[in-house]
Amino acid sequence: MINAVDVRQQFTNDRSFGSREQFLDWVRNEASKLGFRIVILRSDNGNSRRKAFVVLNCERGGSYVQSNWVLKHEDTGSRKCGCPFKLRATRRVDDLWRLSVICGVHNHALDAKLHGYPMACRLSHEEKIVISDLSIVKVAPRNILADLNRKKPDNVSNIKQVYNERHNLKVLKMGPRSEMQQLLKILGDNKYVSSFRTSEDKVTVRDIFWTHPESIKLFNTSPTVLVMDSTYKTNKYRLPLLEIVGVTSTNKTYSIGFAFLECEKEENFTWALGICKSLLVDQKVMPNVIVTDRDNALMNAVDTVFPTSTVLLCRYRITCNVRSKLKPAVGTKDRPDENGKVIKAGVVVDRIMAAWREILNAYSEEVYTEKLVHLRSLCGSIKTFCHYVDSTILDKVKEKVVCAWKNRVRHLGCPTTNRVKSAHAVLKRWLGDSKGDLCRGWDTVNQMLQNQHNGIQTSFGRSKTVMEHRYKGQILYSQLISNISHRVWIFCFMKRSGRRPRGRIVLYVGAPLERHTAFHVLVYFQKRRS
């Protein structure tokens, strides 16, 4: 049995309030101190015949009315217990509000903490602004709640209020538009270049491609190498996302375009690559090299849209496939080597894979033939593996993976799809999960691209303005500042010191530098100036 709690004394006074909001704030603050919450039972703004008034009662006042609808959940309940507490505020002739107590008794115990009370958990206007700002920059709801608790230690809001407010912001932002209509709207509002195609009903969108204006400028400046691949688990509809990236003169990866595709068929890839090709201002300047995984549909689409470009296949993926075929073929039993000595199966796999990497790194056709003979001698009785390597890779696509042929084209040190795989990883770190819609996916990509373009422009500015100390005092190098990137500086310096540079370096204009020294670069720019 709970004794009645009388709080009449706390609300009985001769105070007058200048506005309705002022007295409501005072009453709610007093109620919070006592351990209950106040709600508005009735109110009237008044007119020429009657005065304005507000009737307040306890949040647990009244009784629950049974609904005729079948509830979805069985674990529902009510906080109402018929609490008789009631206040009345009236606006007088002088426009001041006076408060009177109708009943100051509660029939329930008062709580020292108001956790779980809906009225106490309501978010203030300032808190809603904080949630909106932090949601824009992809702060997790749990971190948003932690920030609210840090700023207001007596805050009793829970994670549900944060999720509800984020949902309200999303609904307010979309309005009556559908998700696809909203996506097309924000693409246009942010000056993105986009294109889409529909099904035969002219309503259902099949594929959609978009790109940032700054990405188009970078694409026209550095179109030498393209790396493309699809990634998954980026949206709740399980649509594959095709991402196309390129390489700048400062060896930075930039995203050219993104496309949500209906499926990964040659027709879909051909459409997306056709839109990508149309971004080039000079249609005579096509990419020199396009690197992909061994996806037949994507490879056929590349051959159709970019017939003059050289297609290279990812050496890393092919090596992984070779290893996956080799291990079952070798088995787990020990094997004798060419000298008759018994060695473990793992050692056999490592030796054969080392021989395979030597084949890929063969710098001439003669060395390639020599390394191939060595691989076959190591395989010995593993005929199935030799047949797989010959028939599937070397006979069909060796020109796309072996250095003897691959190095005949300017691929800028991109023999694998690792660049686009890294871009996928960055995107998924920004996304956090795969439960978002298409608008959330675009919003994430937009923020990622802003950071990406900022980093690229920073590298350009550094190459134009900063001269490393090791080059100072050398007339030859000092005349190259603001003309070439730091990657070329490193290349020229290593060439002069007799060391072999790692990777392939390009000028801002895209010229290859594999066989050039700093002197040749200087002569090149002097000719351009004259």
Side-chain angles (χ1 to χ4, degrees):
M1 183 68 181
I2 300 176
N3 296 326
V5 181
D6 191 351
V7 295
R8 176 186 298 269
Q9 191 65 30
Q10 284 76 6
F11 293 94
T12 303
N13 55 55
D14 297 330
R15 292 188 59 179
S16 297
F17 302 92
S19 66
R20 169 174 167 163
E21 290 74 19
Q22 185 178 355
F23 92 80
L24 284 176
D25 290 340
W26 182 85
V27 170
R28 286 168 178 168
N29 289 334
E30 291 297 320
S32 298
K33 295 176 183 179
L34 295 173
F36 69 98
R37 295 300 294 178
I38 286 287
V39 296
I40 298 176
L41 180 63
R42 294 190 306 274
S43 66
D44 194 328
N45 292 328
N47 53 28
S48 58
R49 295 185 177 182
R50 61 181 183 273
K51 298 179 181 180
F53 71 91
V54 177
V55 178
L56 308 170
N57 72 333
C58 177
E59 185 183 29
R60 302 188 65 180
S63 60
Y64 174 70
V65 180
Q66 182 68 35
S67 175
N68 295 328
W69 296 95
V70 178
L71 300 178
K72 183 182 295 185
H73 303 285
E74 296 181 355
D75 57 340
T76 58
S78 174
R79 295 181 179 84
K80 295 182 180 297
C81 62
C83 179
F85 180 85
K86 192 172 296 184
L87 304 175
R88 179 185 178 92
T90 307
R91 187 174 64 188
R92 302 183 306 186
V93 180
D94 55 0
D95 288 338
L96 295 178
W97 290 79
R98 288 295 304 272
L99 185 67
S100 60
V101 180
I102 299 177
C103 180
V105 178
H106 294 274
N107 65 351
H108 57 87
L110 303 183
D111 296 328
K113 297 183 179 180
L114 297 176
H115 295 80
Y117 284 72
M119 293 298 298
C121 294
R122 280 187 176 182
L123 299 168
S124 64
H125 178 68
E126 293 75 14
E127 290 173 334
K128 291 181 179 180
I129 294 177
V130 171
I131 293 176
S132 176
D133 293 340
L134 295 182
S135 298
I136 291 175
V137 293
K138 306 302 178 187
V139 178
R142 62 179 182 275
N143 297 331
I144 295 177
L145 182 60
D147 184 66
L148 295 178
N149 294 334
R150 180 184 62 83
K151 294 179 178 178
K152 187 179 179 183
D154 59 344
N155 178 50
V156 295
S157 300
N158 54 51
I159 195 70
K160 184 177 180 181
Q161 274 69 39
V162 178
Y163 278 110
N164 290 345
E165 180 60 23
R166 283 161 58 97
H167 175 72
N168 294 337
L169 292 172
K170 178 182 175 181
V171 172
L172 181 64
K173 188 176 181 180
M174 291 191 64
R177 293 179 293 274
S178 66
E179 184 178 332
M180 185 56 66
Q181 291 173 339
Q182 175 67 10
L183 177 59
L184 295 176
K185 179 181 181 299
I186 57 180
L187 286 172
D189 292 344
N190 290 273
K191 300 181 181 180
Y192 270 67
V193 176
S194 62
S195 180
F196 65 93
R197 61 173 185 165
T198 60
S199 302
E200 296 178 355
D201 58 2
K202 305 299 182 182
V203 176
T204 305
V205 176
R206 296 179 57 190
D207 308 308
I208 182 168
F209 179 97
W210 75 86
T211 181
H212 195 279
E214 190 66 26
S215 298
I216 299 177
K217 297 178 182 179
L218 292 172
F219 184 32
N220 281 274
T221 304
S222 306
T224 307
V225 175
L226 301 186
V227 188
M228 57 187 68
D229 187 32
S230 296
T231 186
Y232 313 94
K233 296 183 179 180
T234 60
N235 56 88
K236 63 181 181 182
Y237 306 109
R238 299 183 180 181
L239 295 175
L241 177 65
L242 175 66
E243 183 174 5
I244 307 173
V245 304
V247 186
T248 67
S249 57
T250 53
N251 201 36
K252 294 286 186 179
T253 302
Y254 70 95
S255 299
I256 298 173
F258 300 84
F260 280 121
L261 303 179
E262 178 187 30
C263 57
E264 293 181 286
K265 294 184 178 180
E266 182 178 346
E267 175 192 5
N268 304 85
F269 286 130
T270 302
W271 175 84
L273 294 181
I275 302 299
C276 178
K277 180 181 178 180
S278 65
L279 301 177
L280 290 170
V281 177
D282 188 357
Q283 289 293 311
K284 296 181 181 179
V285 179
M286 291 291 112
N288 291 349
V289 174
I290 298 178
V291 186
T292 69
D293 285 340
R294 199 172 181 182
D295 184 344
N296 291 330
L298 183 56
M299 292 171 61
N300 294 338
V302 170
D303 291 337
T304 302
V305 179
F306 299 101
T308 60
S309 302
T310 302
V311 179
L312 299 182
L313 301 181
C314 179
R315 293 173 38 153
Y316 174 76
R317 300 297 166 188
I318 290 179
T319 300
C320 291
N321 294 337
V322 169
R323 190 178 185 87
S324 65
K325 292 289 183 179
L326 175 61
K327 294 182 71 174
V330 172
T332 57
K333 295 182 179 180
D334 298 344
R335 288 175 173 269
D337 60 3
E338 58 272 11
N339 299 324
K341 184 179 178 180
V342 178
I343 57 177
K344 294 183 178 181
V347 177
V348 175
V349 172
D350 293 340
R351 290 182 178 180
I352 294 177
M353 290 306 301
W356 169 254
R357 284 188 286 270
E358 290 179 354
I359 289 178
L360 295 182
N361 295 328
Y363 57 87
S364 65
E365 296 185 28
E366 293 76 13
V367 175
Y368 165 77
T369 304
E370 176 186 344
K371 299 301 181 182
L372 180 59
V373 172
H374 177 59
L375 175 67
R376 289 174 177 171
S377 65
L378 288 177
C379 292
S381 59
I382 313 177
K383 301 299 182 182
T384 55
F385 174 72
C386 291
H387 176 72
Y388 166 77
V389 170
D390 291 336
S391 61
T392 308
I393 303 175
L394 298 181
D395 292 345
K396 292 184 178 181
V397 295
K398 66 175 181 291
E399 294 84 2
K400 303 179 186 298
V401 293
V402 180
C403 289
W405 292 272
K406 174 178 65 68
N407 287 350
R408 295 175 183 176
V409 295
R410 189 195 313 162
H411 56 74
L412 309 184
C414 296
T416 67
T417 56
N418 289 350
R419 281 188 181 272
V420 71
K421 297 293 184 184
S422 299
H424 293 340
V426 172
L427 173 60
K428 289 184 178 181
R429 283 198 297 270
W430 276 84
L431 284 172
D433 56 57
S434 59
K435 300 178 182 179
D437 54 20
L438 301 184
C439 295
R440 177 188 171 190
W442 171 85
D443 191 35
T444 302
V445 169
N446 182 49
Q447 295 184 28
M448 182 192 72
L449 289 180
Q450 291 177 2
N451 282 11
Q452 182 188 98
H453 296 156
N454 182 50
I456 291 174
Q457 294 301 326
T458 301
S459 67
F460 287 164
R462 178 177 173 79
S463 293
K464 293 178 180 178
T465 58
V466 177
M467 186 177 188
E468 296 183 7
H469 296 296
R470 55 181 170 176
Y471 305 132
K472 290 182 179 179
Q474 303 185 36
I475 300 176
L476 184 61
Y477 290 105
S478 61
Q479 297 186 45
L480 295 177
I481 191 171
S482 301
N483 290 316
I484 62 177
S485 68
H486 277 194
R487 291 283 295 177
V488 182
W489 282 102
I490 298 172
F491 176 85
C492 296
F493 183 79
M494 296 182 72
K495 286 287 288 185
R496 184 183 181 188
S497 61
R499 289 179 288 175
R500 182 181 179 183
R502 297 183 61 186
R504 297 205 170 197
I505 318 300
V506 292
L507 293 170
Y508 280 116
V509 294
L513 281 180
E514 283 82 358
R515 298 180 179 86
H516 290 67
T517 63
F519 174 75
H520 295 102
V521 177
L522 180 60
V523 172
Y524 172 81
F525 277 103
Q526 287 178 344
K527 289 181 179 180
R528 282 177 59 91
R529 291 170 179 171
S530 61

